[in-house]
Amino acid sequence: MNQATQRLLDRLNQLGTISNSPDCLSRYYATPAFEKAGDLLNEWMTEAGLIVTKDCVGNIRGILHSQNSDAKHFVVGSHYDSVHNAGKYDGPLGILVGIELAIYAKEKANALPFHLNIVAFADEEGARFNTSYLGSSVLAGNFNLEWLDRKDDDGISIKELIEKEGNVASIPNYAIPADEWLGYYEVHIEQGPVLEDKNQSVCSVKGIAGQDRLTISWEGMAGHAGTSPMDLRKDAYCGAAEFALKVEEVGLKHKEKLVATVGKLNLFPNTSNVIPAKVTHSLDIRSADKQFLNQMVDDLNKMATEIAERRALKINWDLVQSNPPVACDIRLTQALTNAISSIGIEPTNLLSGAGHDGVMIAEVAPITMLFVRSRAGISHNPLEYTSPEDIQDAIQVSINYLENLTLAFGDKE
Ligand SMILES: [Zn+2]
């Protein structure tokens, strides 16, 4: 194992212990563990010789400046928030590969034809507010101000969190203007089984599937679990449960091009001897075909309305976020593919079913991604694992990619 891989692994393990829970890795956006991890990343970027700033949503951005005054920005990033009971590779791996790239590039900074930015994005998972990409949307300049009023389970809004240290009016100041972007690159674990199946350490990504995130509420009537007759109840949970099975049915019927999940559910009053009066749950639905995705969301809405009417429940359907499918840039991906081939790996180009920060960046800049093999395709789980050898390949491919870009863009200057 080379020095860069060893350093990256030490740091990955260190970040993996920074959690809000004593039992597992849990690092929701803007929590104490999140702040602590951000401070460490800031320290490591500074040590790598980058000029580091933290913006009002919590993105940590380190820049290695080109000496060319017309230089544009090339951004390498990933996220440092996590889901609850997470693995340690999802997110931090991409940031730490970025820091290794910066350490490598520092020695050759004179020849750098673009400003190399390493960014640790604040909130990609969206576990706290059910809104992903809060961080990358700020850097891309497409942060949706309507998100500011969204509240977490404790009733704290995004706006309140930002205004603890910063000012929401300053959000646009932290964007890289669209005409100053050169491109974006993210290294991420595959979170699927294909690379393991092909016995391959890394591959390029051709695009990211479209995704809608919804919050759906069902309102019925609370009642005594012992005295309310079964046929006179308005049980909000039974409505939600019937709908969840419909979601599964639709997903199974179109399993070649759709996945759909009810992953979070809150019951009120959540008491064993009271009929649930209100249930709020998430719906996460994804497809590479946007038109088909829209059609399926419409169909599910009709099914939910039918269930609610039949059960005399009120329903509230809230589309929290809708992200179209995104394609990776062909020219930059060719430079990445060449970097992969140069270490003797056969190029493969996969579609990402998982969302990534590149979704937001793709609105303003060409994006590229590198997937690294994850054991058994497991992620969002403490069993997540990527071997040191595969990480070493990811670092080497990224260095070769940087060299290819330096040549490609250096010629033009
Ligand atoms: Zn991730």
Side-chain angles (χ1 to χ4, degrees), residues 193-206:
V194 179
L195 284 174
E196 192 171 72
D197 202 46
K198 285 179 168 285
N199 193 23
Q200 216 169 292
S201 57
V202 295
C203 74
S204 59
V205 174
K206 62 179 160 196

Side-chain angles (χ1 to χ4, degrees), residues 62-126:
I63 309 183
L64 182 62
H65 283 104
S66 165
Q67 291 183 349
N68 180 346
S69 55
D70 305 327
K72 294 187 175 186
H73 293 274
F74 190 80
V75 176
V76 181
S78 197
H79 59 98
Y80 69 104
D81 68 321
S82 87
V83 295
H84 185 71
N85 200 29
K88 64 187 174 190
Y89 300 84
D90 181 349
L93 177 65
I95 304 168
L96 294 174
V97 170
I99 293 177
E100 290 309 319
L101 266 186
I103 293 169
Y104 174 84
K106 179 78 181 158
E107 315 236 310
K108 308 177 163 206
N110 290 344
L112 205 60
F114 42 80
H115 303 306
L116 180 64
N117 292 244
I118 312 304
V119 180
F121 289 116
D123 171 279
E124 188 271 349
E125 300 286 6

Side-chain angles (χ1 to χ4, degrees), residues 117-331:
N117 292 244
I118 312 304
V119 180
F121 289 116
D123 171 279
E124 188 271 349
E125 300 286 6
R128 184 164 179 182
F129 292 99
N130 197 24
T131 52
S132 45
Y133 316 132
L134 290 183
S136 42
S137 62
V138 169
L139 196 70
N142 47 20
F143 183 92
N144 184 344
L145 292 173
E146 284 175 16
W147 295 339
L148 288 171
D149 296 324
R150 297 226 165 255
K151 291 186 172 147
D152 68 5
D153 289 345
D154 298 321
I156 301 171
S157 71
I158 295 175
K159 185 176 178 185
E160 278 172 72
L161 286 179
I162 292 177
E163 298 213 315
K164 265 188 190 168
E165 283 181 52
N167 184 343
V168 293
S170 70
I171 289 175
N173 304 343
Y174 293 107
I176 297 177
D179 59 352
E180 291 178 24
W181 280 88
L182 187 67
Y184 174 75
Y185 174 57
E186 178 166 357
V187 176
H188 202 282
I189 56 166
E190 182 200 346
Q191 304 176 279
V194 179
L195 284 174
E196 192 171 72
D197 202 46
K198 285 179 168 285
N199 193 23
Q200 216 169 292
S201 57
V202 295
C203 74
S204 59
V205 174
K206 62 179 160 196
I208 302 170
Q211 176 188 23
D212 281 6
R213 283 190 178 208
L214 299 101
T215 299
I216 300 160
S217 297
W218 304 76
E219 234 173 289
M221 187 143 67
H224 195 291
T227 59
S228 310
M230 290 305 292
D231 56 349
L232 295 179
R233 297 180 177 199
K234 292 181 187 173
D235 185 328
Y237 175 63
C238 288
E242 189 181 338
F243 177 68
L245 290 174
K246 281 283 176 207
V247 170
E248 184 191 43
E249 196 182 304
V250 168
L252 279 170
K253 189 174 164 195
H254 303 286
K255 63 180 181 189
E256 303 307 329
K257 51 180 182 174
L258 187 81
V259 285
T261 309
V262 173
K264 184 180 181 194
L265 182 131
N266 291 329
L267 266 80
F268 179 80
N270 205 19
T271 302
S272 65
N273 62 351
V274 181
I275 298 161
K278 187 172 178 183
V279 171
T280 301
H281 65 82
S282 61
L283 171 63
D284 175 315
I285 181 164
R286 309 180 193 211
S287 172
D289 179 343
K290 181 62 179 161
Q291 213 179 348
F292 178 73
L293 183 62
N294 291 347
Q295 183 60 50
M296 289 302 106
V297 171
D298 278 355
D299 287 359
L300 283 168
N301 181 297
K302 286 190 190 107
M303 289 176 202
T305 307
E306 186 278 316
I307 293 169
E309 277 171 14
R310 179 163 35 82
R311 290 175 172 273
L313 302 170
K314 269 195 226 158
I315 184 173
N316 184 46
W317 186 268
D318 181 14
L319 179 63
V320 178
Q321 221 172 26
S322 180
N323 293 307
V326 157
C328 288
D329 183 72
I330 292 172
R331 185 175 162 220

